[in-house]
Amino acid sequence: MTMPAQHDAAETAQGDEEGALLVAYANGDPDAGRDLTLRLAPRILAQAVRMLGDRAEAEDVTQEALIRLWKLAPDWRQGEARVTTWLYRVTANLCTDRLRRRARAVPIDTVAEPEDDRPGVSDTMMGSARMTALAAALAELPERQAQAVALRHLEGLGNPEIAEIMDITVEAVESLTARGKRALAALLAHRKAELGYEDD
Amino acid sequence: MKMTDETDQSLIDALLEDVAQHPVAPIDAVLMARLVEDADRLVPRPEPVAGAIAATGWRGVLDLMGGWPAMGGLVAAGVVGLWIGLAPPDLVDDAVAGLLGGTVAVDLTGLGDSLGMEG
């Protein structure tokens, strides 16, 4: 089992490596850009899919986040921040922007429910339905609450890292997360059975 | 009421955990190609370092000295300096005499006044 200190050290080394690659890209090295794309794109996509519950939109977010990174590259100052921290922030912002637009267009109560309730409905279908329901509920939350909940509970980040990503205190992260979860509970309480949690 | 709240919270905990564990399919080749193409297209082209000599050879030296206008001034100053050295006007002689208390003519070439410039 990896000790936390060793884990942190490994993450820091990886962050330095990604920062160095970004500096190389800024200096005109296309190979560094390709290497960063292979490393970072899967992480961005996974974060966006979990927040949005929509693969196509998540792919657009991935592309947009990376384009922003490439445009930022000449101004990147290595050592001041980690590339992944910056990307978590940008991806979360892009996702909440889309959730906000989606909420204006489609109120949460009109979000499609799972159509197939026969015995043996695949886990994948239920998983997708839960993802869609969570994304719709996140769209109803204030932006900062949605981001804090997603970073804490979907990405599994620690409060200090979330505080750095969101540029707030750890106490503010705790408060946002707690309020966000209470709001989600209120929004989704009546969909318990539909989401397969009735007997839990 | 408290029981309901706790149930709702456990629902949210379970939902968040399920979504977090939901597998995300890997990026397909088409999307990855598009992302790499973006990276290639936007790779910065660093500007040449300011002050560097853009050209090489005599033109580079000329650029380094400030181009043709600067070179013109340098040539003019050289010509005036040469003229003053070969045929100093009285004003220069007087100024030197005033400064040093007298003038001494030294013929370094051994040619004397072969050009007849001393009258």
Side-chain angles (χ1 to χ4, degrees):
Chain A
M1 186 177 174
T2 308
M3 298 296 287
Q6 291 172 320
H7 183 65
D8 287 350
E11 278 196 348
T12 303
Q14 193 176 20
D16 289 346
E17 210 173 312
E18 285 160 356
L21 283 169
L22 190 58
V23 170
Y25 177 79
N27 288 327
D29 179 1
D31 289 339
R34 290 179 203 131
D35 194 351
L36 276 174
T37 303
L38 294 173
R39 285 166 176 248
L40 302 173
R43 276 192 249 170
I44 303 169
L45 179 72
Q47 183 188 353
V49 166
R50 287 190 280 264
M51 269 191 92
L52 295 169
D54 182 299
R55 174 84 186 197
E57 275 200 280
E59 290 185 355
D60 288 345
V61 164
T62 305
Q63 187 170 17
E64 177 64 27
L66 282 173
I67 285 174
R68 289 189 184 195
L69 181 66
W70 306 141
K71 289 183 176 173
L72 169 85
D75 300 320
W76 184 262
R77 281 179 288 188
Q78 194 176 0
E80 282 193 7
R82 284 192 302 169
V83 175
T84 47
T85 301
W86 184 88
L87 273 174
Y88 271 126
R89 181 188 308 144
V90 169
T91 305
N93 285 337
L94 289 170
C95 287
T96 44
D97 285 349
R98 283 171 179 264
L99 288 173
R100 188 80 50 246
R101 287 202 295 272
R102 201 190 287 175
R104 280 198 295 267
V106 185
I108 186 170
D109 287 335
T110 64
V111 172
E113 296 179 0
E115 290 175 3
D116 191 348
D117 58 354
R118 291 170 299 178
V121 167
S122 71
D123 289 346
T124 305
M125 278 191 69
M126 182 54 84
S128 298
R130 287 171 176 170
M131 226 176 216
T132 306
L134 178 62
L138 284 173
E140 298 290 319
L141 262 54
E143 191 171 324
R144 305 289 274 173
Q145 285 183 23
Q147 289 179 0
V149 169
L151 291 170
R152 180 76 186 90
H153 294 283
L154 299 183
E155 301 311 309
L157 302 181
N159 287 345
E161 190 172 1
I162 299 171
E164 192 184 344
I165 290 167
M166 297 182 69
D167 200 19
I168 54 178
T169 63
V170 171
E171 292 73 19
V173 172
E174 289 167 355
S175 170
L176 283 171
T177 309
R179 282 185 285 141
K181 281 178 67 180
R182 278 199 298 275
L184 284 177
L187 285 164
L188 291 168
H190 69 288
R191 301 184 71 178
K192 196 184 303 181
E194 167 198 330
L195 295 173
Y197 293 115
E198 197 165 38
D199 298 327
D200 289 358
Chain B
M1 188 63 177
K2 188 170 185 294
M3 181 83 79
T4 308
D5 288 348
E6 284 174 1
T7 308
D8 292 345
Q9 282 301 318
S10 64
L11 157 72
I12 292 306
D13 286 337
L15 177 61
L16 288 167
E17 193 177 335
D18 286 343
V19 172
Q21 301 296 325
H22 192 73
V24 176
I27 293 180
D28 63 53
V30 175
L31 175 61
M32 189 55 86
R34 203 164 77 215
L35 298 176
V36 168
E37 191 183 312
D38 284 341
D40 284 347
R41 180 170 47 85
L42 295 170
V43 66
R45 312 278 175 220
E47 296 288 324
V49 178
I53 300 174
T56 55
W58 68 270
R59 188 172 291 279
V61 174
L62 183 66
D63 288 346
L64 189 63
M65 295 179 78
W68 282 114
M71 189 56 79
L74 191 64
V75 169
V79 169
V80 170
L82 185 65
W83 177 69
I84 289 174
L86 292 175
D90 292 343
L91 192 62
V92 175
D93 277 347
D94 293 346
V96 171
L99 195 65
L100 302 177
T103 58
V104 177
V106 179
D107 180 10
L108 295 175
T109 64
L111 297 175
D113 184 23
S114 57
L115 298 175
M117 289 183 173
E118 292 180 1

